[in-house]
Amino acid sequence: MKAQLNLFDEQFFYEGVDVEYKAAKGGLPKSLWDTYSAFANTQGGTIYLGITERVDSLQAHGLEKPQDLLKQLWDTVNNPSKVNKNILTNQSVTLIPVPDDDSKVVIKITVPRADRRQRPIYVGTDAFKGTYRRNHEGDYLCSDIEVRRMFADQSEEPADSRILPYFGIEDIHFESLAQFRNLFRSRDSTHAWLLEDDKVLLSKLGGWRKDRASGVEGLTVAGLLMFGKAQSILDP
């Protein structure tokens, strides 16, 4: 797929949060995959191979044998030992002829933002050593906390409905629950939930849940945050 290269477009002046230039004169640069990961885990972006950024200008020198790089690109992005997921399609990669030299092209790679079910996108086989994010014009290794948060976001289950292991009804501050019951009664004194015991009321409010698939039941994140004892909330 070919397009036209216009270095006078505003987007070409500087690298930034969603634009990256790589010379690729010696082949597919290893740093390409750090940028691929960073764009996918942040807001997406575009990588240009065959352009060198100088202090105040860009040199679009292009690539003479793009097909070799394209094969290497697709082989690598589809190799789980190199990159954990391929989120590119055929339409993501474009060949752009260099002005005044049709024998050379720039490879344009449009990296989409990965869906939360796909993140983290990482380099290699260890997410904690190969997950990157994009800040300004740099690719930065994510912290362990950031990576764990991405894994947690993959779940279809809302975070606040997650059943907490090792927590139980004894972690509830019943005075807070009683205050809520009284407030509820003042708004609707005939509501059927007011006839339920504390545990059932918690279930109605989403603070206590039973997983039908596993049979596990217990206090949820929402229940702990709404009605938990202060010490229980602070416990690791």
Side-chain angles (χ1 to χ4, degrees), residues 84-167:
N84 73 309
K85 289 187 182 76
N86 171 25
I87 60 171
L88 300 180
T89 66
N90 289 331
Q91 288 70 40
S92 302
V93 181
T94 307
L95 300 183
I96 308 175
V98 174
D100 304 322
D101 190 349
D102 289 341
S103 67
K104 298 179 181 179
V105 300
V106 166
I107 299 177
K108 176 183 176 182
I109 306 169
T110 303
V111 182
R113 183 174 190 264
D115 182 270
R116 68 175 176 82
R117 297 174 185 84
Q118 298 170 317
R119 294 192 298 269
I121 301 296
Y122 54 89
V123 182
T125 57
D126 188 339
F128 295 98
K129 294 181 179 179
T131 300
Y132 291 82
R133 56 179 165 76
R134 187 76 172 183
N135 287 130
H136 188 44
E137 59 183 62
D139 305 322
Y140 299 92
L141 196 63
C142 290
S143 67
D144 287 2
I145 293 176
E146 289 172 313
V147 175
R148 288 192 178 96
R149 187 178 299 124
M150 291 184 201
F151 278 122
D153 287 344
Q154 291 180 359
S155 175
E156 297 290 345
E157 179 183 284
D160 60 0
S161 69
R162 180 167 56 88
I163 297 172
L164 293 168
Y166 314 118
F167 286 82

